[in-house]
Amino acid sequence: MSLINNINKVFDHRVRLGIMSILMVNEYADFNTLKELLDVTDGNLASHTKALEKAEYIIIEKQFIGKKPNTRYIATKLGRLAFQKHIDALEQLIKNTE
Amino acid sequence: MKIKIFSFTLYFKVLYMKSKDYLKDISEIKDLMNKSSRFISLSGLSGVLAGIYAIIGATIAYFLVNNYSYGTLLLDGQIFRWVLLDLILIALFSIITAIILTTRKAKKNNAKIWDTSSKRLIVNFLIPLVTGGLYILIILGQQKYGQAGALMLIFYGLSLVNASKYSIGDIRYLGYIEIILGLVCALFPGYGFWLWVLGFGIMHIIYGTWMHFKYDRT
C-alpha cells in the first residue's frame, strides 16, 4: 500500500485540513476568520494552528491593528506542496476504491 | 481459516469506510476554499429587478427628451438635470434592492453578509466602477457628451469582470457582454440609447433569470 504513504498524517484531522484549505486560496487569514469558517473554539483552533506551525506548513504572524492584537496565518511553500501531495493522494485513493 | 476470512472482510470494510471519509474530506476542502474566497450569496432576482428599473428609467428619459426638448438634449438645461436624476434613481433603487435580497439570501445560506469575502467583493467591484463614474462626470463637465453611454457600459463591464474573481464566476460573462456593447456604442453613438437599454435593462433581466434558476432555486 504505497498510496497510503502519501496520505499526510498532519492533515488527518478535519480542522487542520480546513485551515490548510482556506490558506491555500487566501494570501492570509486571521484568527477570527478561521474560527468562523471552521466553527471551532479558540483553544481548539490554537492547538491545531500550533501543530501546523510545528510542521512548518504555516507561519503565524502576530501584530497590532490599532490597539487590538491580530494574528494572521500564512501557508508556507512547504505547506502548499505537502497539501497538494495530500490531495493528490486522496484523489488516487478514491479512484482506486471506486 | 475463519479468522483469516474475518480479517479479510474487516480489511475491506476499513478501506471502504476510509474512502468514504476521503470523499467527504475532498468535498469539505472544496467547500471551504469557495466559502473563504468568494461571496456567493448574490441574488439573481436583484439582477432581474435592476434590469426592470433600468427599462422604466430609460422609458422616462425617452419621454422627457422627446416631449420636452424636441429630441435634442440641451446639456445645461432643466431636462438634462431630470435625466441625470433619473439615472441616479435607477442606480439607487438597484443598489437597495441588491442589498435587501442579498442579505435575505445570505441569511438563508447561514452566511455572514459583512465578512472578509463580501468586503473584498465590494472593494474590487467599486474600484473600476467609481473610476468610471468620476471619469464620466469629468468629461460631462468638459462638455464632451457623446461617449457617456459607452463609458458607462464599458466601466460597468470591467467592474463585473473584476468582481467575478470574488463571487459567482459566471458574472464575468455578463461583464464581457457589457464591455462589447460599450465598444459598439462608442462606434455608433447614435444607437447609444438602445444599446444602454440592451446592456443595463435586457441583459440584466436575462442574466438575473438565468442566475436565479441556476443558483437560487435550491
Side-chain angles (χ1 to χ4, degrees):
Chain A
M1 296 301 316
S2 65
L3 274 171
I4 292 281
N5 296 339
N6 283 333
I7 292 291
N8 196 324
K9 268 271 155 58
V10 181
F11 301 130
D12 208 13
H13 190 282
R14 194 198 136 249
V15 177
R16 289 196 289 268
L17 197 71
I19 295 167
M20 277 316 284
S21 310
I22 294 165
L23 294 182
M24 285 295 280
V25 290
N26 288 283
E27 215 179 313
Y28 62 85
D30 61 25
F31 192 84
N32 286 330
T33 308
L34 288 181
K35 206 179 117 186
E36 271 162 27
L37 283 166
L38 297 167
D39 200 17
V40 287
T41 61
D42 285 17
N44 201 342
L45 182 57
S47 77
H48 286 301
T49 50
K50 234 171 250 159
L52 285 169
E53 191 195 24
K54 215 177 138 199
E56 292 181 0
Y57 288 170
I58 65 170
I59 39 178
I60 302 179
E61 261 181 16
K62 287 186 183 179
Q63 54 177 27
F64 280 86
I65 295 180
K67 277 187 176 172
K68 276 189 182 161
N70 180 279
T71 312
R72 287 180 164 180
Y73 303 90
I74 302 152
T76 62
K77 223 176 189 175
L78 182 73
R80 286 176 180 274
L81 225 69
F83 190 73
Q84 193 56 53
K85 250 189 184 166
H86 180 72
I87 293 186
D88 291 345
L90 287 186
E91 277 172 348
Q92 272 303 319
L93 270 173
I94 291 164
K95 247 188 235 158
N96 284 11
T97 42
E98 248 168 20
Chain B
M1 185 66 185
K2 225 176 189 176
I3 292 166
K4 216 172 183 185
I5 287 172
F6 175 73
S7 70
F8 187 71
T9 50
L10 188 73
Y11 175 72
F12 268 93
K13 229 176 197 166
V14 168
L15 200 67
Y16 176 72
M17 274 168 60
K18 272 272 171 198
S19 88
K20 254 190 141 171
D21 279 355
Y22 295 145
L23 222 66
K24 220 182 85 199
D25 279 1
I26 293 270
S27 78
E28 208 162 308
I29 290 167
K30 275 187 188 157
D31 186 48
L32 274 169
M33 283 179 167
N34 264 325
K35 241 196 334 203
S36 66
S37 61
R38 289 167 187 267
F39 182 77
I40 50 165
S41 296
L42 287 183
S43 151
L45 214 55
S46 66
V48 176
L49 286 169
I52 293 170
Y53 301 152
I55 289 177
I56 295 171
T59 313
I60 294 170
Y62 192 77
F63 176 78
L64 281 171
V65 172
N66 282 300
N67 283 284
Y68 294 104
S69 54
Y70 315 101
T72 50
L73 199 52
L74 285 173
L75 286 133
D76 42 1
Q78 188 73 23
I79 299 301
F80 177 68
R81 254 168 264 156
W82 281 109
V83 172
L84 215 59
L85 178 71
D86 183 38
L87 273 175
I88 292 168
L89 284 177
I90 297 170
L92 206 67
F93 277 121
S94 303
I95 292 166
I96 292 169
T97 309
I99 291 173
I100 293 172
L101 291 179
T102 300
T103 312
R104 216 177 60 178
K105 196 178 163 191
K107 263 189 196 149
K108 225 168 78 185
N109 288 354
N110 256 333
K112 273 204 156 175
I113 180 86
W114 195 237
D115 61 4
T116 325
S117 64
S118 63
K119 276 181 214 163
R120 198 161 32 185
L121 170 62
I122 288 170
V123 168
N124 284 286
F125 179 63
L126 284 182
I127 289 169
L129 198 70
V130 171
T131 310
L134 292 175
Y135 180 65
I136 291 166
L137 286 177
I138 290 166
I139 62 159
L140 283 179
Q142 295 169 344
Q143 264 109 60
K144 295 172 192 150
Y145 311 112
Q147 295 290 326
L151 290 169
M152 276 158 89
L153 286 164
I154 289 170
F155 278 104
Y156 179 59
L158 291 172
S159 306
L160 288 176
V161 172
N162 205 38
S164 68
K165 285 168 261 169
Y166 307 99
S167 182
I168 299 167
D170 292 327
I171 63 170
R172 166 183 298 272
Y173 304 107
L174 180 61
Y176 292 153
I177 292 169
E178 303 285 358
I179 292 169
I180 292 166
L181 287 175
L183 291 173
V184 173
C185 187
L187 275 176
F188 307 103
Y191 295 100
F193 176 79
W194 298 108
L195 287 164
W196 194 94
V197 171
L198 184 62
F200 284 99
I202 294 163
M203 283 322 300
H204 269 144
I205 295 174
I206 295 172
Y207 222 79
T209 311
W210 183 38
M211 289 294 103
H212 180 69
F213 283 104
K214 191 169 172 193
Y215 295 107
D216 295 0
R217 289 201 335 162
T218 42

